[in-house]
Amino acid sequence: MSHACPVCVVKCCVLTMIAEDARSASQNPSVRQASGSESVPPAQLPSSTGAQPPRPGSHRLSIDKSGPSSVEGRPGQTVRLPCRVTSSALVTVEWRRDGRPLTSPRYTQQSDGSLVISRLSTEDSGFYTCTASNGHQRDNRQLQLRVLDLKITTAPNNVRVVQGSSTQLPCVVSGNNVNVGWSRNGVPVRPDGRHVLVSVDGSLILNNVQPADEGAYTCNAYTGTYSVSATAEVKVNKSTEQALPSSSNTAECTDQPELANCDLIVYAKLCSSEYYSNFCCASCSRHSQPAGSRTEQG
């Protein structure tokens, strides 16, 4: 019977222990040697998987504000105020004027959110607000509606003027923020402070009228995109006779001081204007006679 070598037994045991350690390490990868290569804990690693928070703007809502913020119309017309909404959910649209709900049957809200107003009146002017909501977000847009009631209440009339005298072409306009300009035969008339003047109410005054001043004078009144106009012909009488009542009819024509200052009209040499001579018939008739035309008796 042979006996095992003691040294061999020890080597065998050592080899067996090394083999078992190697097998254990291969079955448990979490085991690491303390050699300075330890990994970062999982809680500190940036995660690219798993549940994501809700995306911002998933219920996005907005109203198109790219168009003009002001709409103009005239009495009797129909206008549309736009309210174009973009939303990913069901939207509710509401219109108000100057902060108050709309109650008139002339206001109709369309399926696209716009507001249609029929049979405009000046009372419809104001600020209109479109408010859109989808239960998660709200947006609004404000539009200004201007109803322009533009009229020439006193228009110029055709007039014949004595050469060298003055005349006035009236042009009184109703409405707010109205600009008035004049043209002669289509060419703009430029006030020069002496020969051509424009009064506060828009009337045109021509002094020292000459034959070259004859023509068609047009009063142009405009506000925003709307305008109205009226035209009158100016003729110059080159003779010394004025188109005024004769002296024989002086007793039949009278002044109307409650409507005009006749002394001032005579002083300003406006008697050649049919418009003013109608108010100051007697005064203009007296001053229309040449100084040496009186008949002497005796």
Side-chain angles (χ1 to χ4, degrees):
M1 180 175 180
S2 62
H3 296 280
C5 175
V7 176
C8 293
V9 173
V10 173
K11 290 182 178 181
C12 181
C13 291
V14 171
L15 292 175
T16 301
M17 293 176 63
I18 293 174
E20 289 180 353
D21 290 341
R23 185 168 55 253
S24 176
S26 64
Q27 294 177 354
N28 188 3
S30 62
V31 177
R32 298 287 188 271
Q33 294 184 2
S35 60
S37 61
E38 186 174 357
S39 62
V40 177
Q44 299 178 8
L45 290 176
S47 173
S48 59
T49 61
Q52 297 293 327
R55 289 185 306 137
S58 58
H59 298 288
R60 183 177 180 81
L61 179 148
S62 64
I63 297 178
D64 184 7
K65 302 179 178 66
S66 60
S69 60
S70 178
V71 179
E72 296 178 348
R74 301 187 68 178
Q77 291 184 334
T78 297
V79 297
R80 177 188 294 266
L81 305 183
C83 184
R84 185 176 179 180
V85 183
T86 300
S87 175
S88 60
L90 186 64
V91 176
T92 300
V93 176
E94 180 186 19
W95 281 92
R96 288 176 174 261
R97 187 188 74 178
D98 298 330
R100 297 186 296 272
L102 305 179
T103 57
S104 172
R106 296 184 297 105
Y107 298 94
T108 306
Q109 184 171 317
Q110 305 298 300
S111 58
D112 61 355
S114 61
L115 180 69
V116 173
I117 307 175
S118 60
R119 302 189 307 278
L120 278 178
S121 67
T122 54
E123 289 76 16
D124 293 321
S125 295
F127 290 90
Y128 290 75
T129 302
C130 165
T131 302
S133 172
N134 61 10
H136 301 276
Q137 288 184 328
R138 293 169 62 91
D139 195 10
N140 60 72
R141 184 190 185 191
Q142 189 176 76
L143 296 170
Q144 182 183 14
L145 174 62
R146 299 176 60 205
V147 182
L148 309 175
D149 188 11
L150 184 61
K151 295 179 182 178
I152 296 180
T153 57
T154 304
N157 296 316
N158 296 338
V159 62
R160 182 173 292 275
V161 188
V162 174
Q163 182 176 354
S165 62
S166 300
T167 189
Q168 179 167 340
L169 301 178
C171 185
V172 181
V173 184
S174 66
N176 298 320
N177 301 319
V178 179
N179 296 302
V180 176
W182 284 88
S183 62
R184 172 180 167 272
N185 299 332
V187 179
V189 174
R190 307 296 183 187
D192 58 13
R194 293 186 304 171
H195 179 57
V196 180
L197 303 172
V198 176
S199 64
V200 176
D201 65 357
S203 300
L204 181 69
I205 301 174
L206 302 176
N207 295 318
N208 190 24
V209 178
Q210 300 298 320
D213 295 321
E214 286 188 336
Y217 286 79
T218 301
C219 166
N220 301 287
Y222 57 93
T223 176
T225 58
Y226 293 97
S227 64
V228 292
S229 62
T231 301
E233 289 281 345
V234 173
K235 298 291 185 180
V236 178
N237 190 351
K238 300 178 184 179
S239 68
T240 57
E241 297 180 2
Q242 300 187 22
L244 294 170
S246 62
S247 58
S248 61
N249 296 327
T250 303
E252 299 178 2
C253 70
T254 59
D255 292 343
Q256 301 180 55
E258 69 277 6
L259 299 178
N261 187 333
C262 294
D263 292 337
L264 182 59
I265 290 176
V266 171
Y267 178 80
K269 299 180 180 180
L270 296 176
C271 286
S272 58
S273 169
E274 181 180 357
Y275 178 77
Y276 288 108
S277 62
N278 289 333
F279 299 132
C280 303
C281 178
S283 295
C284 288
S285 295
R286 288 193 302 269
H287 288 80
S288 65
Q289 299 178 4
S293 63
R294 297 180 182 178
T295 58
E296 295 183 2
Q297 298 180 359

